[in-house]
Amino acid sequence: MNNISNIFALLLLLLILTGCSNNDPGPLAGTWKMDGLMPITVHFRKGESEAMGMIEKVSYEVKGNQVIVTSENGPMEGISARYTIASPNIVTTEFGKLRRIK
């Protein structure tokens, strides 16, 4: 009986850890455009982001009105960027302002 309890506890822990994965972009989900000298379109999807034709695996961490996006592969692996939600259609970053287009 003790083995069954241990197995159940292990399965419950795995389920909790799986549910905590940071693949959901939350309020960043969708397509955004940054204007300026170098206009860029960025797509935020579950577990990835795409900009300038490059798709990267990323993780998302939502903290209040901020979303921390961390690259998990490629040349930017381990690098994080902070996106601050100013409104449902405007996000600010240290690189500039993004407007939702989709």
Side-chain angles (χ1 to χ4, degrees), residues 33-96:
K33 182 157 182 136
M34 181 183 302
D35 296 325
L37 295 174
M38 200 168 123
I40 297 173
T41 301
V42 184
H43 308 277
F44 294 101
R45 298 182 287 262
K46 187 172 183 147
E48 64 183 24
S49 68
E50 180 179 353
M52 298 186 297
M54 294 179 56
I55 298 173
E56 287 187 306
K57 290 190 180 286
V58 298
S59 64
Y60 300 97
E61 183 179 358
V62 179
K63 292 183 174 181
N65 70 332
Q66 298 182 340
V67 181
I68 312 299
V69 181
T70 303
S71 296
E72 295 187 344
N73 70 344
M76 299 294 284
E77 183 175 355
I79 304 295
S80 297
R82 182 182 312 269
Y83 295 83
T84 302
I85 310 300
S87 76
N89 295 314
I90 296 177
V91 171
T92 60
T93 72
E94 51 270 359
F95 306 111

